Amino acid sequence: MTYSLKGKKIWVAGHTGMVGKAVTKHLINESCDVLTCNRAEIDLRRQHEVECWINENSPDAIIIAAATVGGINANKSYPAKFLYDNLMIETNIIHGAHKADVTKLMMLGSSCIYPKYAPQPISEYDMLSGPLETTNRWYAIAKISGVMLCQAYREEYGHNFISAMPTNLYGPGDLFNTDTSHVIPALLMRFNEAKKTDQKSITVWGSGKPRREFLHCDDLADALIHTLKYYSDSEPLNIGSGLDITIAELAYLIADIVGFEGEILFDSSMPDGTPKKLLNSQRLSQTGWHPKISLRDGLLDTFLWYQKALIDGIVRIK
Ligand code: GDP
């Protein structure tokens, strides 16, 4: 059954992050009313504040794009923050949505909820079938709890709460910080700096052998709106591009886009994380959605955004 967005009030929680921004932009085409709230207005980790906001604004549907996120190093360095923030944000919003009888809610997770050695490509049914990768287990446990909260409220109260599991994401508006970013913004920053300062070599973390699947945030936003309208099931829904590459291949691609011609070195003292993380997105493609943005085009778009953001002072070199 289709969930029509026409005339509905849709709250995008986390509209200032990369995903929330892209979703908000794409919802413009849906004849709905987009609700947002700023961090200064409410702290999503405080239950009372969240419930008051929901009561005052009466959203029909909610997209939970708000989360504390970061790359492999951030996950390792801030275990309490990643577990606490994410558990609180999703619990408060899901419980608040239940109390206010919100008619549809979509929680966003991540492909890191699946076991470290899950069979590839990873199906939705592999959740909780084996041990997690240790570097991001805090974030993963929080997101697994979010999936299960949606399932529990669906089972106990019949709410139409769903969860979507995107693969590794990137794009304009991503977190750019060489220590705490995900691999794509970190390498775009480092390669750009190396080219500008004429460095002879550059170091990439890990062995370069892990494989990752990447999806541009505009493709994700499009998929999420499609999912909100057409998906209504207790199992999470994987959202991927269907293609993965090694980190070494990614590094050479980024070098080419940025124009860096020096040597690329790999620092094996840094963690590799999960060896391979390709999602099986067949259930999504059966609903009629397919990605449109190639990795090269998406990286170029992100690099151009980053260069402008540097000039505008939105991001800084760190
Ligand atoms: P993950 O999918 O949770 O491991 O997310 P990341 O984007 O943080 O890392 C993906 C892979 O890229 C890992 O194997 C990292 O070791 C590798 N990598 C290489 N260089 C970097 C870097 O500068 N930053 C990050 N975050 N990862 C890097």
Side-chain angles (χ1 to χ4, degrees):
M1 218 171 33
T2 307
Y3 182 82
S4 168
L5 302 186
K6 202 162 171 219
K8 297 247 167 63
K9 288 205 263 180
I10 320 279
W11 177 26
V12 181
H15 73 290
T16 54
M18 174 181 71
V19 173
K21 237 185 252 161
V23 170
T24 307
K25 184 178 82 181
H26 283 242
L27 278 173
I28 288 170
N29 308 320
E30 296 293 334
S31 316
C32 60
D33 201 0
V34 179
L35 306 181
T36 58
C37 65
N38 289 317
R39 235 170 246 232
E41 225 178 310
I42 60 164
D43 182 342
L44 296 176
R45 296 169 302 179
R46 307 281 169 262
Q47 187 166 19
H48 182 66
E49 293 183 28
V50 172
E51 290 185 2
C52 287
W53 195 88
I54 292 178
N55 279 338
E56 276 162 28
N57 294 278
S58 312
D60 296 296
I62 302 178
I63 300 172
I64 310 180
T68 289
V69 296
I72 198 162
N73 205 32
N75 272 270
K76 246 173 47 132
S77 310
Y78 310 112
K81 185 167 177 55
F82 273 74
L83 187 54
Y84 174 79
D85 285 7
N86 290 310
L87 280 173
M88 295 308 282
I89 292 168
E90 67 204 19
T91 305
N92 292 340
I93 298 177
I94 291 169
H95 189 68
H98 151 64
K99 284 173 79 175
D101 262 330
V102 164
T103 53
K104 189 129 194 194
L105 175 143
M106 179 165 58
M107 206 270 321
L108 299 197
S110 146
S111 55
C112 74
I113 66 155
Y114 295 115
K116 178 167 184 169
Y117 298 111
Q120 307 284 321
I122 312 169
S123 119
E124 289 88 349
Y125 302 99
D126 289 322
M127 191 177 88
L128 293 175
S129 64
L132 297 167
E133 154 61 24
T134 53
T135 48
N136 55 23
R137 66 193 188 279
W138 319 102
Y139 181 79
I141 286 288
K143 288 299 177 182
I144 290 171
S145 303
V147 172
M148 298 200 71
L149 275 169
C150 289
Q151 292 173 334
Y153 280 84
R154 171 180 285 273
E155 200 167 308
E156 192 170 333
Y157 301 105
H159 291 308
N160 195 354
F161 293 177
I162 60 172
S163 46
M165 291 309 114
T167 194
N168 284 40
L169 302 169
Y170 71 99
D174 207 346
L175 171 73
F176 279 77
N177 177 298
T178 45
D179 294 334
T180 54
S181 300
H182 283 108
V183 61
I184 289 180
L187 293 189
L188 282 173
M189 288 183 93
R190 233 179 291 148
F191 277 90
N192 186 49
E193 194 54 21
K195 180 182 156 65
K196 282 204 317 210
T197 55
D198 210 15
Q199 289 172 33
K200 299 285 164 272
S201 68
I202 196 163
T203 304
V204 172
W205 296 354
S207 63
K209 290 183 188 144
R211 300 187 72 87
R212 292 290 184 273
E213 176 190 27
F214 295 103
L215 187 73
H216 189 281
C217 61
D218 278 333
D219 261 346
L220 175 74
D222 194 37
L224 290 177
I225 292 167
H226 175 89
T227 302
L228 190 65
K229 289 201 269 190
Y230 302 113
Y231 187 73
S232 169
D233 201 83
S234 67
E235 289 309 321
L237 187 71
N238 285 347
I239 303 182
S241 61
L243 296 170
D244 66 349
I245 63 167
T246 66
I247 296 301
E249 287 165 337
L250 175 72
Y252 286 105
L253 185 54
I254 289 179
D256 187 38
I257 284 168
V258 172
F260 173 76
E261 290 175 350
E263 194 182 357
I264 299 176
L265 307 170
F266 293 90
D267 176 3
S268 294
S269 70
M270 292 302 279
D272 267 344
T274 307
K276 196 167 154 61
K277 214 172 16 167
L278 175 64
L279 291 180
N280 181 339
S281 303
Q282 221 175 356
R283 290 173 67 241
L284 171 65
S285 56
Q286 279 163 359
T287 70
W289 188 86
H290 303 281
K292 296 174 193 72
I293 304 169
S294 72
L295 183 57
R296 175 175 273 280
D297 287 352
L299 288 174
L300 187 58
D301 173 51
T302 310
F303 182 51
L304 293 176
W305 179 88
Y306 170 62
Q307 284 183 310
K308 182 163 184 313
L310 271 179
I311 294 165
D312 295 345
I314 297 171
V315 294
R316 278 191 297 270
I317 298 165
K318 159 123 191 4

